[in-house]
Structure formats: C-alpha cells, structure tokens
Amino acid sequence: MSFQETLTNEEKLADLDVDQLKKLVGLVEYDESGDEFPVTGWDAIVFVVGNATQAAHYYQSAWGMELEAYSGPEHGNRDHKAFVLRSGSIRFVLKGAVDPDSELVAHHTRHGDGVVDIALEVPDVDKCIAQAKKVGATVLVEPHDETDEHGTIRIGAIATYGETRHTLIDRSRYNGPYLPGYVARSSTFVKRDGAPKRLFQALDHIVGNVELGKMDEWVGFYNKVMGFTNMAEFIGDDIATDYSALMSKVVANGNHRVKFPLNEPAISTHKSQIDEYLDFYRGPGAQHLALATNDILATVDALRAEGVDFLDTPDSYYSDPELRERIGQVRVPIEELQKRGILVDRDEDGYLLQIFTKPLGDRPTVFFELIERHGSLGFGKGNFKALFVALEREQARRGNL
Ligand SMILES: [Fe+2]
C-alpha cells in the first residue's frame, strides 16, 4: 500500500498531502494486513458540554472551525442538540442536552464539559470488535449498520478509561455530512476580514489521565486490544517526583496518526495536577487534545486576539542558558516565541513548538495544546519542568495546590 492510498477522505477534503502529514503529525508508512485491530485514523472527538449552542459559536468564532452538520429537535432528535465542526482533517462534535431527562445531563453533572468519545475510523468494524472481545475488552455497542439517504455506515464501540469510549466507524459506504440522523449545516458565523483559512489542520494526540497505578494497565489495554505500540517518550520517576508529579507513557497506532499519551499521578509533596483533574472530572478522562498547526505563531496570535487564554511561561524559561543551548536554532528568533509564551523542545530527530491553553470549561479539566512539529516525534518532555512550574502556579491560584 502506498502512502498516497493511505490518506483518509478527511485529509483529502482538507487538501492535506502526505508530506504535510508526515510533518504535522508524524505519519509513517504502515502495512495493516497483519493487524488484528487496524485503525485508519481519527473519526471525530465528541464532547458533552453544558451549552452546545453557545460552545458551537465559540469553536467557530475563536477557533476558526466550520460548522458542517447538526442534529436536534427540529430534525427529530428530541434528546439533545449536536453540532459537528471541522478544522482541516478533524471533526469535533459538541452535544448538549435538550431533554432534562437526557443521559447527557447526568454525564455532565458528574464530569462537566469533557470528551466522551474518541471515535476512530477503521476499515473493518467487525474485525476490531471481534478482537476486542477475544482479549476481554468491554464492547459497548455491537457492530451494526445505520442507513439514511446518503448511504450506510458500519459502527460499534468499546469502552476505554473512565466513562470514555472509542466508537469505531467504517464510513466507506457513506457520503452524508456526518452520521445518519444528522443534516448538513454550514456556519452562519462570518469570519473577520483577513482571518486565516483555519487555525489548525489536524489532531496530533489526545492525553488520557488515569488513576494512580493504572497507567501501565491502560498502556496494556492499548497494546493488547488495539495493537498500539509504545513510543519512546516516557516520563518516569526522575521527572515525575520533582516537577510534574505525573508519570506518562505513549502508545500509537500503526501509522502514528492516533497517539495516546497516558498519565497517572505521581506521589509528590503536594497535590498533582493529575489528581486535580481526577477530582474535578470525577475519574479518568481525556486531559488534553493537541492540535497540529503549521504556523503556531499565527495561530496563537489569532487565538489571543479572540480572547483565548494560554498558560503563562515564565520569562526565565527563555533566558535559561541550558535551555537555549539545548534548543539551538529554530525557525524564528526566541524573542518571537517568548512574546507569545511558546515552548520549544528538541530531540535527536528535530524540534517542536508547543503551547497549552487554560482549561476550556469551568472545571480545571480538559484543555488544548497547539503543536508545530519540525522532525521531533516527541511530546515536549523537555518542557515538563518549565511547564509544570507554570501549571502549578495556576493550580495555586485556584486554591487546589
Ligand atoms: Fe501533549
């Protein structure tokens, strides 16, 4: 199978090519024929939010996403409203309860705004579910067809950490706007003059926070159930106890489109940021989504102009001689990064630029990262110390340290 053939429909629609994707998200060539649980890539990230109507506006106005589909009471869905938004090759679906007895209300009461479903595109739903069953994973939805005038999807779902699931979708026989039950809808929000076409092109990784002692269990889940392999980056005791108070390992699917770092809290002198998340999310869940951009400076400028808040980076981060030495040359002067609070990390393959937003909702739980890769396939391990100094300052402000 050639690289070109491995481009997903979403990527083709977003005018992305293989070279861009190699750079953006570290796509690698991969033969899926021997894979018991082949995964093509992300299908959609589904959020439950307290007010989807307003959140849909925020993701269009601040994050430059395009509305492309909708489901709600006007079209027979009396339970909830759902807005499907796109940027580049990735879809977000925002769901908010309409019916006060909707299951989404109870979910939102427990967890607040958050990710309920990391849906993945797979070539063979039945094969994946069969493999999941064989190794003892929890199947939430048996494989079945759903059909409307746009064709048929094959769909199933398995459980992952907390109340998060992976819906598995084969949409090769479907050309509707999202799923049966949804209608096409385009943005009524008008972008500002001169606004960039889009602020991010793809999704790079989603980090899961799990309980103390559970990281290896979930790494094992992704290894055993989904055939994901461990990537090199590993945050162990050395960094964990002094600065980050977390441990982390990363698993990825065969083509590396889908990457899941998994964090657990580390024992530390004060409450870790992972513990704070677990308290406020009431259990394990998705901590952050890393959005890939090919121009992080322009993206951050546009987001700041719309009022998106980022974590502060201490000035000392940029003047630290050891860090400067390690970073070497990057595509812009360090001062340009400092102005925006963008972090740099480097490894043997290259470097990456990254920055983290403050929590997206009211609870100190889910947030976004922006990432611009230049060869590095890491996740910013070298920034952990600097980052966690900044994070802990925020945590102290909220009185949770
Ligand atoms: Fe990340």
Side-chain angles (χ1 to χ4, degrees):
M1 187 184 294
S2 81
F3 246 139
Q4 204 57 44
E5 285 165 310
T6 70
L7 278 185
T8 66
N9 262 340
E10 319 299 341
E11 289 161 354
K12 288 177 199 153
L13 287 172
D15 291 325
L16 293 168
D17 62 39
V18 166
D19 286 339
Q20 283 173 308
L21 283 158
K22 277 197 224 172
K23 197 170 163 184
L24 274 170
V25 302
L27 181 69
V28 296
E29 202 154 2
Y30 166 68
D31 177 9
E32 68 176 36
S33 58
D35 194 336
E36 293 299 318
F37 199 119
V39 169
T40 309
W42 311 102
D43 187 81
I45 310 307
V46 183
F47 297 78
V48 167
V49 296
N51 187 333
T53 306
Q54 289 187 7
H57 185 276
Y58 168 74
Y59 282 98
Q60 292 172 78
S61 58
W63 289 87
M65 299 187 81
E66 303 278 350
L67 180 63
E68 60 179 27
Y70 170 76
S71 168
E74 305 87 339
H75 307 282
N77 173 4
R78 300 179 62 80
D79 182 73
H80 62 270
K81 285 188 177 180
F83 297 84
V84 183
L85 299 148
R86 171 181 296 281
S87 185
S89 61
I90 189 66
R91 274 190 204 96
F92 289 171
V93 181
L94 307 172
K95 291 185 174 177
V98 173
D99 185 336
D101 295 323
S102 168
E103 274 181 21
L104 298 181
V105 174
H107 191 281
H108 191 263
T109 301
R110 284 193 299 280
H111 301 295
D113 285 12
V115 173
V116 289
D117 191 351
I118 300 167
L120 302 171
E121 188 187 336
V122 302
D124 188 338
V125 175
D126 296 75
K127 181 177 176 178
C128 293
I129 297 281
Q131 163 66 8
K133 275 188 181 160
K134 196 172 88 186
V135 295
T138 305
V139 174
L140 298 173
V141 179
E142 291 290 338
H144 65 279
D145 285 345
E146 290 180 17
T147 299
D148 68 6
E149 69 270 29
H150 304 291
T152 299
I153 56 148
R154 188 81 177 157
I155 192 166
I158 61 171
T160 179
Y161 47 75
E163 287 197 84
T164 317
R165 66 174 57 198
H166 292 304
T167 289
L168 307 168
I169 298 181
D170 166 14
R171 46 176 77 253
S172 59
R173 294 173 294 155
Y174 191 71
N175 61 11
Y178 176 49
L179 294 176
Y182 284 74
V183 295
R185 183 180 279 193
S186 52
S187 295
T188 49
F189 178 81
V190 180
K191 285 188 186 182
R192 292 181 202 274
D193 285 344
K197 185 177 161 212
R198 56 194 176 200
L199 298 180
F200 55 98
Q201 286 78 34
L203 182 61
D204 187 85
H205 60 272
I206 298 184
V207 177
N209 281 346
V210 299
E211 303 99 322
L212 182 66
K214 297 286 186 186
M215 175 183 69
D216 282 325
E217 206 172 287
W218 286 105
V219 167
F221 168 88
Y222 284 106
N223 294 158
K224 194 174 65 162
V225 178
M226 297 173 68
F228 282 29
T229 53
N230 296 0
M231 292 185 77
E233 190 140 304
F234 168 63
I235 312 291
D237 292 315
D238 48 339
I239 302 184
T241 43
D242 284 344
Y243 292 103
S244 65
L246 67 74
M247 309 245 271
S248 184
K249 285 182 182 174
V250 185
V251 294
N253 79 321
N255 59 36
H256 287 194
R257 267 195 197 93
V258 178
K259 298 177 282 294
F260 293 135
L262 294 156
N263 295 337
E264 70 174 37
I267 310 282
S268 170
T269 49
H270 46 250
K271 188 170 171 175
S272 97
Q273 49 137 334
I274 310 304
D275 284 316
E276 187 194 32
Y277 177 101
L278 294 169
D279 284 354
F280 282 87
Y281 197 71
R282 287 283 151 84
Q287 180 213 38
H288 75 260
L289 288 76
L291 311 174
T293 168
N294 52 21
D295 188 349
I296 195 169
L297 282 82
T299 299
V300 169
D301 288 346
L303 289 166
R304 282 198 196 276
E306 299 298 343
V308 173
D309 285 329
F310 294 92
L311 288 186
D312 299 325
T313 308
D315 277 331
S316 55
Y317 174 88
Y318 300 95
S319 52
D320 181 60
E322 243 176 68
L323 188 103
R324 285 222 168 205
E325 169 76 30
R326 194 170 58 83
I327 287 169
Q329 278 302 109
V330 296
R331 72 171 179 86
V332 290
I334 296 284
E335 291 66 34
E336 293 298 311
L337 303 177
Q338 182 168 5
K339 245 195 279 179
R340 297 167 176 85
I342 295 168
L343 305 164
V344 191
D345 198 19
R346 182 179 287 278
D347 57 27
E348 59 280 14
D349 302 314
Y351 70 95
L352 61 81
L353 305 175
Q354 65 182 171
I355 190 169
F356 299 87
T357 69
K358 292 189 178 174
L360 294 165
D362 302 318
R363 298 191 196 185
T365 54
V366 66
F367 59 90
F368 287 152
E369 169 186 352
L370 292 162
I371 184 166
E372 179 185 312
R373 292 189 183 275
H374 291 270
S376 169
L377 299 175
F379 298 84
K381 179 179 177 173
N383 283 321
F384 269 53
K385 176 179 165 184
L387 170 67
F388 289 109
V389 168
L391 270 175
E392 285 171 2
R393 200 166 40 232
E394 291 296 313
Q395 202 180 329
R397 275 186 203 151
R398 293 190 289 265
N400 294 328
L401 192 61

